[in-house]
Amino acid sequence: MMQRNMLLAVRLGVTCQRSGFLRSLMTASTVHSKGQLADMNEGCIPVHVNNVRNKLREIVGASTNWRDHVQAMEERKALQSLLAKKQEDLPSRRMKDSYIEVMLPLGSEPQLREKYLNVYNNVRFGRILEDLDSLGVLICYTHTKSDARNMSPLSIVTALVDKIDLRKQIISPDCDIKLTGHVSWVGKTSMEVKMHMLQLHNGIYSPVLDATFVMVARDPENKRPAFVNPLVPDGPEEESLLHQGELNKVRRVEFSTASLLKMAPTAEERKIVHEMFLNTLDTRTVSFRSRVLPPNSVWMEDAKLKGLEICHPQERNIFNRIFGGFLMRKAYELAWATACSYGGTRPYVVAVDDIMFQRPVEIGSLLFLSSQVCYTENNYVQIRVHTEVSDPITREHHTTNIFHFTYVSDQEVPQVVPQTYGESMLYLDGKRHFDAVVQNRNGHSKSS
C-alpha cells in the first residue's frame, strides 16, 4: 500500500502545503522526538527515489528508448508558444509550493542497497550527487508547473552547485535516507534550490548534508533563457531565505570577478607564492632555475590523476545530453582516488563547492577528466577536477565543467608545492576555495 501511495504522489506531482513549513525549514536539523522533522512532513507522501527520473520524463515528454527520445525532443519544439513573454505573466509561487520529500529506503529495501554500496560498506557519495541533481530539477519543475497542462515547455538544467556541506563522514548503507528540498530564491530565468539529506537512526532522522544548487530555465530546445514563476515570501522567515539567496548571488559574482583568470593575486597571495618559491631554492647554487623539494612535500606536477569516459546514451538526461549527476559522480570518484593516493589513507569528503556547468556534454563525446591536488593544509586536501570534451570526428576540445572538492584524511598529508606560475595560481585558487569552505563551516557552527 505504501508503494502504491508513493507512485500516486509522483503521478500527481504532490507537494506539501501546510502551516509551520518555513519554521522547520529554517531549522532543518531540528529533530522531532518521534523521528520526523517538526511540522515539515505532516500530510506529505514522500516520492520514491527511483520514481524521480520517471516523473521528470513525464514532465518533459521524454522516452526511455533512445530512438523515441530523439523524436520526443523534436516534438518539444511545438511547445515554444507556451513560454511566457515576460515574468509578470506567470503566477507567483511560495516556497512551500515546491517542497518535495524523496525517500531512499536503503534500510527497508535491501535490493536497492547494492547500487549505493562502496568497498568500505558505506554509501557511495557519488550516487547521492546524482540523486541531488535529479531532485533539484524536479523541485524547479514543481515550482514552475502549470495545472492546465501535463508537459512543461521549460528545459531546466543545472547551472551551478553552489555548495554541499557534509555533517557526517560516513553514511550508513542499511538505514533509510530522506532527501528534502524547495526553491529558495528566484531571478528572472534562474532558481536557487536548497536541499537537505537526513538518515534514520534509532527512529530519529538526523542531518547528513545541506546543499544549494542553482538551476536555469531555457526554452523547449534548450537554446535560449526562459522566464520562471516569481517567488513571493510568506512571512519573515521566507523573507530571510530570499534575502540570503540575493546575498549568495552577490557573493558568486564577487568571487567570479576576483578570479585569478581575470585579476592579479592580492598582495598577501603574492607574498605566499614568493615565500614558497624561496623555500624551494637550492642554497648551493642560489639560482632561479634550481629548485629543491622541501621535506614532506610533493611537487604539484606529481599530484594528479586523469580519466576518460565514452559518453554512451545510457547516461543521458531527459534532454538527450549527458546527465549532470553522472558527471559529478565521475569527477567526485576521480577526486577521491587522487586524494586517497596522495595522502596514503582513506579520505572523507567535507564539502563540494563552486561546480560550474559551462556547456552540455553531447552523447558520443569523449570526456577527459583531470584531477589535481591544488592545496593542502594539515590533514585537508583540496582537489580541482577539470573536464573537457573532444569530438572524435572534428577533434575539437571544449571545457565543460570545473569541480572543487574538499577532503579530510585521518593523518596529516604532505604539502603540495607549485613550481610554475600557472601552478601557483592553481594553488592560490585552491586556497581560496578551502578558506571559503572553512569560513562557511565556522559560520554554520556558530549559527547552530
Side-chain angles (χ1 to χ4, degrees):
M1 186 64 181
M2 178 61 73
Q3 181 69 14
R4 180 181 178 185
N5 288 340
M6 289 178 180
L7 292 173
L8 182 63
V10 174
R11 285 196 294 269
L12 298 181
V14 171
T15 57
C16 305
Q17 301 182 13
R18 70 193 69 78
S19 61
F21 166 75
L22 255 299
R23 180 170 66 258
S24 59
L25 242 168
M26 294 290 287
T27 57
S29 60
T30 303
V31 180
H32 193 277
S33 60
K34 293 184 179 180
Q36 298 185 351
L37 292 179
D39 300 326
M40 188 182 288
N41 60 356
E42 295 173 9
C44 180
I45 301 175
V47 178
H48 193 288
V49 69
N50 287 343
N51 294 322
V52 172
R53 296 285 290 274
N54 293 334
K55 178 59 181 175
L56 288 173
R57 291 190 184 97
E58 289 179 19
I59 295 172
V60 175
S63 171
T64 56
N65 184 284
W66 167 244
R67 288 170 295 183
D68 293 345
H69 188 99
V70 174
Q71 179 61 32
M73 291 299 101
E74 284 295 315
E75 295 173 354
R76 278 184 59 81
K77 294 179 181 180
L79 300 176
Q80 288 279 2
S81 61
L82 300 177
L83 292 175
K85 298 297 187 295
K86 55 182 183 296
Q87 190 177 37
E88 292 73 18
D89 293 338
L90 296 168
S92 299
R93 303 284 194 234
R94 299 170 297 178
M95 292 186 186
K96 69 175 69 174
D97 294 332
S98 61
Y99 176 73
I100 293 178
E101 290 184 0
V102 171
M103 290 303 300
L104 178 55
L106 299 181
S108 52
E109 294 186 19
Q111 66 274 16
L112 184 64
R113 199 176 301 158
E114 191 75 14
K115 176 183 176 182
Y116 287 84
L117 207 60
N118 65 23
V119 296
Y120 298 101
N121 200 35
N122 305 134
V123 169
R124 294 173 62 182
F125 182 67
R127 291 294 189 192
I128 300 300
L129 289 175
E130 290 183 321
D131 292 338
L132 288 173
D133 190 50
S134 294
L135 176 58
V137 174
L138 182 57
I139 288 170
C140 289
Y141 272 122
T142 304
H143 173 82
T144 59
K145 68 181 174 65
S146 170
D147 295 332
R149 55 181 181 266
N150 294 324
M151 288 180 58
S152 173
L154 298 178
S155 299
I156 295 176
V157 296
T158 307
L160 169 72
V161 177
D162 188 24
K163 56 185 176 182
I164 302 176
D165 295 315
L166 277 293
R167 302 200 194 184
K168 292 185 177 181
Q169 288 186 345
I170 296 177
I171 306 174
S172 174
D174 52 7
C175 296
D176 286 356
I177 287 174
K178 181 189 294 184
L179 298 168
T180 70
H182 68 101
V183 171
S184 56
W185 173 87
V186 166
K188 291 289 185 180
T189 62
S190 59
M191 292 163 282
E192 180 187 88
V193 177
K194 287 195 177 297
M195 292 174 283
H196 308 281
M197 175 175 161
L198 307 105
Q199 188 161 41
L200 187 64
H201 292 286
N202 301 319
I204 297 176
Y205 277 103
S206 56
V208 176
L209 66 79
D210 304 307
T212 303
F213 282 42
V214 177
M215 307 289 185
V216 294
R218 301 177 68 80
D219 69 359
E221 299 180 73
N222 195 13
K223 292 181 177 180
R224 292 178 296 276
F227 293 112
V228 299
N229 300 68
L231 186 65
V232 177
D234 183 12
E237 293 167 352
E238 289 196 6
E239 290 178 357
S240 177
L241 279 177
L242 200 61
H243 177 64
Q244 184 60 53
E246 290 287 351
L247 294 179
N248 290 341
K249 178 184 177 181
V250 172
R251 170 179 52 80
R252 288 190 291 266
V253 171
E254 291 177 346
F255 200 84
S256 175
T257 303
S259 168
L260 291 166
L261 293 172
K262 303 175 183 178
M263 300 283 291
T266 65
E268 180 62 28
E269 289 174 332
R270 292 195 295 271
K271 181 180 178 182
I272 291 174
V273 169
H274 193 65
E275 287 179 350
M276 294 188 70
F277 170 74
L278 294 177
N279 196 38
T280 60
L281 285 178
D282 189 342
T283 56
R284 296 171 300 178
T285 60
V286 194
S287 167
F288 286 110
R289 294 178 179 272
S290 182
R291 307 284 292 278
V292 176
L293 187 66
N296 193 33
S297 300
V298 176
W299 291 123
M300 188 175 284
E301 174 63 27
D302 300 324
K304 61 175 66 174
L305 288 178
K306 294 188 176 183
L308 167 67
E309 291 289 332
I310 301 176
C311 299
H312 294 292
Q314 179 186 7
E315 305 300 342
R316 72 186 186 277
N317 62 15
I318 54 178
F319 301 113
N320 225 29
R321 269 65 178 264
I322 293 298
F323 174 43
F326 172 79
L327 298 175
M328 285 194 286
R329 174 164 65 87
K330 287 300 179 180
Y332 164 78
E333 290 174 349
L334 182 62
W336 184 92
T338 306
C340 184
S341 59
Y342 182 85
T345 183
R346 178 187 178 184
Y348 299 91
V349 62
V350 172
V352 181
D353 78 304
D354 197 24
I355 296 179
M356 295 291 296
F357 288 80
Q358 298 184 9
R359 61 188 298 153
V361 177
E362 302 291 343
I363 304 298
S365 301
L366 300 179
L367 179 69
F368 294 91
L369 302 96
S370 300
S371 178
Q372 172 75 69
V373 176
C374 53
Y375 180 76
T376 55
E377 186 171 313
N378 299 324
N379 58 336
Y380 288 94
V381 183
Q382 187 71 32
I383 306 286
R384 180 183 188 269
V385 180
H386 173 269
T387 61
E388 63 180 16
V389 291
S390 170
D391 187 312
I393 306 302
T394 64
R395 297 185 180 179
E396 292 182 345
H397 284 249
H398 298 286
T399 296
T400 60
N401 300 87
I402 303 294
F403 304 84
H404 299 275
F405 302 96
T406 306
Y407 293 91
V408 64
S409 296
D410 293 329
Q411 61 190 34
E412 187 170 340
V413 300
Q415 181 183 16
V416 69
V417 181
Q419 283 183 288
T420 66
Y421 185 81
E423 288 180 345
S424 297
M425 296 305 99
L426 277 177
Y427 181 89
L428 294 178
D429 185 63
K431 185 178 187 305
R432 286 183 179 185
H433 281 91
F434 177 77
D435 290 344
V437 168
V438 171
Q439 181 179 1
N440 180 68
R441 291 175 69 85
N442 289 340
H444 182 82
S445 298
K446 292 178 182 178
S447 63
S448 300

